[in-house]
Amino acid sequence: MGRNLPLITPFKLGKFSLSHRVVLAPMSRDRSFHGVPQEHAILYYSQRTSLGGLLISEATKVTDSAQRYPHSPGIWSEEQVEAWKPIVDAVHEKGGIFFCQLWHVGRQSHYNFRSGDPIPSFSLSQPNSVDVAELSIASRLKTDEIPLAVEDFRLAARNAINAGFDGVEVHAAYGLIDQFLKDHVNYRDDEYGGTLENRCRFAMQVLEAVVDEVGADRVGIRLSPYGHYGGAGDSNPEALATFMAESLNRHSILYCHAIEPRTKRTMEEKGGVMRGLLPMRQAFTGTFIAAGGYDCDDGNKAVEESYADLIAYGKLFLANPDLPRRFELGAPLNMYDRATFYIPDPDIGYTDYPFLDY
Ligand SMILES: Cc1cc2nc3c(=O)[nH]c(=O)nc-3n(C[C@H](O)[C@H](O)[C@H](O)COP(=O)(O)O)c2cc1C
């Protein structure tokens, strides 16, 4: 007999009927050799599927110039679409709902990934200030190149649906879109830089293209207004968060998925409880997913207080393929091993985390 937990209650996500609120967070595992998903991912995702559970795939690149990590998957070629199909099928066979996270890494890309093309990577602002030795010198996307980047997302969304995914999550939490949003890295002086409205323009254009292609009822977005990935921070994350939430409302997308600030200060201010996303949650009228540092108790409280509708779990789900069941039973959790997060092994640290044996 399971416990009665807010996390283990049904939720209607548009046309999808979820049986619980425990979402698999997107997690890159770098086991898709040369950008092509591999057979071992069938077992990995199927292990983490439960009837009526929502899964979000690892970040999946929308085009060849979108990448930084060579063994993260893509979804721009026919080969990649075909390789995703059996993985998506395996999730569906167990009654899961599977969204593909669409990613362009932006200025963290590297020219080595662009076969024969001397232009290194997209960027929005100044040459990289982060990891300079490691990164190519990024070139700013020209205003007239931006529609091409939007188009990459549109085609990738179409491909994801063709591969069988139930929907797509536009990854605006790290990478190219995030770099447009944040004023620490966006120094543009065209209509994509400066004001909040201008900085959010690219994100909204991508979203509109993707919605136009596959329908708003199959589109979510992930944002991290408080994040600093690749040096992309913002001077007023709360204003950014609420502006984006209000802009998203105009498109009636399926969900907004946001990452907690989780700084020590915000935790203390809120009495040790994570509520940093409250203004965004209140501004957004659709389904809200919160992520970042949650355990079972935090997740239950967040759902109970309607702070979030769904909670996405990363590391705990990585290490506990049957996480919703363990929460329900109050069972102990496996500890994750950081050393194996990104190794190429098709089993170790990937599909070998044990299930409960009761
Ligand atoms: C191994 C690993 C890979 C990750 N890859 C991605 C990714 O591809 N896309 C993304 O949006 N977030 C990624 N994240 C962030 C997670 O989705 C999540 O937001 C983060 O782990 C915090 O949640 P947690 O405390 O429940 O782990 C990754 C995290 C981990 C641990």
Side-chain angles (χ1 to χ4, degrees):
M1 244 326 249
R3 303 182 291 165
N4 282 332
L5 302 178
L7 275 175
I8 313 294
T9 51
F11 182 76
K12 197 87 179 111
L13 177 66
K15 62 185 169 193
F16 305 107
S17 297
L18 306 187
S19 60
H20 59 77
R21 319 291 187 103
V22 183
V23 178
L24 175 70
M27 275 180 292
S28 300
R29 306 306 316 274
D30 286 8
R31 284 152 168 96
S32 295
F33 306 134
H34 307 291
V36 180
Q38 302 290 308
E39 241 181 82
H40 43 250
I42 298 176
L43 181 59
Y44 172 74
Y45 281 108
S46 141
Q47 284 180 332
R48 284 156 186 79
T49 304
S50 54
L51 182 66
L54 174 64
L55 293 82
I56 304 166
S57 81
E58 60 210 276
T60 300
K61 295 160 299 195
V62 295
T63 178
D64 64 344
S65 59
Q67 47 192 326
R68 167 154 180 75
Y69 310 98
H71 303 308
S72 62
I75 193 144
W76 69 85
S77 75
E78 196 50 40
E79 183 189 11
Q80 291 161 335
V81 172
E82 288 306 311
W84 271 115
K85 284 182 181 171
I87 305 168
V88 179
D89 286 348
V91 170
H92 286 159
E93 267 161 35
K94 289 179 75 177
I97 293 122
F98 201 7
F99 272 52
C100 183
Q101 190 188 54
L102 301 181
W103 198 29
H104 192 308
V105 70
R107 67 184 196 157
Q108 268 72 41
S109 184
H110 195 283
Y111 65 87
N112 284 350
F113 299 131
R114 303 196 75 184
S115 36
D117 190 339
I119 309 285
S121 72
F122 291 129
S123 175
L124 313 169
S125 57
Q126 300 168 326
N128 295 301
S129 54
V130 186
D131 295 342
V132 176
E134 227 194 292
L135 298 169
S136 350
I137 301 297
S139 61
R140 182 201 292 244
L141 260 186
K142 296 194 187 79
T143 310
D144 61 3
E145 290 172 325
I146 290 177
L148 304 175
V150 172
E151 200 54 20
D152 287 337
F153 277 92
R154 177 202 291 275
L155 293 176
R158 168 54 45 206
N159 285 346
I161 298 303
N162 289 345
F165 281 102
D166 298 289
V168 296
E169 176 175 283
V170 172
H171 190 352
Y174 324 128
L176 184 67
I177 300 177
D178 186 49
Q179 291 152 22
F180 270 89
L181 295 177
K182 306 281 184 61
D183 63 3
H184 286 178
V185 287
N186 181 341
Y187 292 92
R188 302 184 68 99
D189 52 13
D190 59 5
E191 70 262 35
Y192 293 91
T195 63
L196 260 181
E197 188 181 0
N198 282 357
R199 284 186 277 125
C200 295
R201 191 179 308 282
F202 177 59
M204 297 315 295
Q205 288 178 345
V206 167
L207 204 83
E208 279 160 29
V210 169
V211 163
D212 179 56
E213 191 65 34
V214 303
D217 57 345
R218 296 202 276 199
V219 177
I221 190 167
R222 189 172 218 217
L223 293 159
S224 63
Y226 297 87
H228 289 88
Y229 178 83
D234 195 80
S235 60
N236 191 346
E238 190 168 316
L240 174 61
T242 47
F243 186 89
M244 269 306 284
E246 282 157 10
S247 308
L248 294 173
N249 288 340
R250 291 200 292 276
H251 297 278
S252 307
I253 57 169
L254 191 61
Y255 68 78
C256 173
H257 178 183
I259 302 177
E260 291 282 353
R262 261 197 318 139
T263 64
K264 196 168 179 301
R265 192 175 59 82
T266 49
M267 293 275 289
E268 279 165 3
E269 276 171 8
K270 311 284 174 193
V273 183
M274 293 188 287
R275 293 293 178 262
L277 300 173
L278 195 59
M280 193 180 196
R281 170 12 163 211
Q282 287 169 340
F284 184 66
T285 51
T287 295
F288 193 74
I289 309 180
Y294 279 92
D295 61 16
C296 183
D297 288 346
D298 294 336
N300 279 315
K301 270 192 218 112
V303 171
E304 192 173 27
E305 294 168 18
S306 279
Y307 170 73
D309 300 302
L310 307 171
I311 307 293
Y313 289 89
K315 297 179 283 300
L316 295 186
F317 222 145
L318 183 154
N320 295 275
D322 48 359
L323 188 66
R325 184 86 189 121
R326 286 180 191 247
F327 281 173
E328 191 176 2
L329 295 173
L333 300 180
N334 302 322
M335 183 55 193
Y336 49 83
D337 176 13
R338 280 182 196 278
T340 57
F341 280 177
Y342 305 110
I343 62 170
D345 197 288
D347 181 31
I348 297 169
Y350 192 53
T351 51
D352 64 348
Y353 284 105
F355 283 74
L356 282 177
D357 55 7
Y358 58 92

